[in-house]
């Protein structure tokens, strides 16, 4: 299902994904860490969820200092928000993985899942964008709480 969703997202949102990747790439060229910016972020316009009606998807790309060589880490957060009255148990949460996979492209060969957390109206999933030469392991996201009983079986 995820591979089919990635393909569908890239087909329907190709131009928007390209623009978003360009914005994230521009963040990478900023002076992040060691006397520069602490972090930088950009967002993609809110989109409706493709697999579950009544859910919207927000994507934020950001950079922060991470690597010993000074190269910034590139992260993506995919937020899935439920409209009032929508049941969390009926949401296809794996669509977040598809959106992150669709964002990975160009310089980034993969979006590695780092963790997730509940938000006020849904879930936020965190990913590290990895390029082909990236030898670094991705550390676990430090702010990830345990899943609640409502979401533990969602993935």
């Amino acid at each position: 299902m995820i591979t089919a969703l990635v393909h569908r997202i890239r087909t329907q949102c190709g131009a928007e994904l390209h623009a978003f990747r360009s914005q994230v790439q521009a963040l990478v060229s900023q002076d992040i860490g060691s006397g520069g910016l602490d972090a930088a972020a950009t967002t993609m316009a809110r989109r409706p969820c493709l697999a579950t009606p009544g859910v919207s998807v927000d994507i934020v790309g950001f950079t922060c200092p991470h690597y010993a060589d000074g190269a910034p880490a590139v992260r993506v957060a995919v937020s899935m928000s439920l409209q009032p009255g929508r049941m969390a148990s009926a949401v296809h949460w794996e669509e977040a993985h598809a959106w992150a996979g669709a964002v990975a492209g160009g310089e980034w060969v993969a979006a590695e899942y780092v963790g997730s957390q509940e938000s006020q109206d849904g879930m936020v999933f965190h990913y590290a964008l990895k390029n082909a030469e990236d030898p670094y392991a991705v550390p676990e996201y430090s702010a990830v709480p345990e899943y609640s009983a409502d979401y533990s079986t969602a993935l």
Side-chain angles (χ1 to χ4, degrees):
M1 178 175 163
I2 292 175
T3 303
L5 276 173
V6 169
H7 178 69
R8 185 173 169 198
I9 291 166
R10 286 181 174 163
T11 300
Q12 291 182 1
C13 308
E16 191 175 359
L17 286 168
H18 178 73
F20 181 70
R21 283 186 211 111
S22 295
Q23 292 170 341
V24 173
Q25 186 58 44
L27 297 178
V28 173
S29 65
Q30 301 295 314
D31 184 19
I32 306 294
S34 60
L37 300 171
D38 289 333
T42 188
T43 62
M44 192 166 139
R46 177 172 282 186
R47 302 285 306 192
C49 188
L50 298 175
T52 311
V55 178
S56 60
V57 177
D58 293 291
I59 301 173
V60 177
F62 58 99
T63 59
C64 54
H66 174 65
Y67 300 129
D69 65 4
V74 181
R75 300 285 179 113
V76 173
V78 178
S79 174
M80 295 181 66
S81 303
L82 285 68
Q83 293 176 357
R86 187 74 177 137
M87 299 295 297
S89 61
V91 176
H92 295 284
W93 297 109
E94 61 272 6
E95 185 170 338
H97 302 318
W99 278 99
V103 167
E107 176 181 335
W108 300 292
V109 296
E112 186 172 319
Y113 176 73
V114 179
S116 58
Q117 65 192 65
E118 292 182 45
S119 67
Q120 183 176 358
D121 57 354
M123 293 286 290
V124 179
F125 298 84
H126 303 275
Y127 303 86
L129 293 180
K130 309 279 281 184
N131 63 34
E133 295 83 36
D134 193 353
Y136 301 101
V138 177
E140 184 135 345
Y141 184 69
S142 60
V144 178
E146 293 296 318
Y147 285 118
S148 74
D150 294 336
Y151 297 111
S152 62
T153 59
L155 293 175

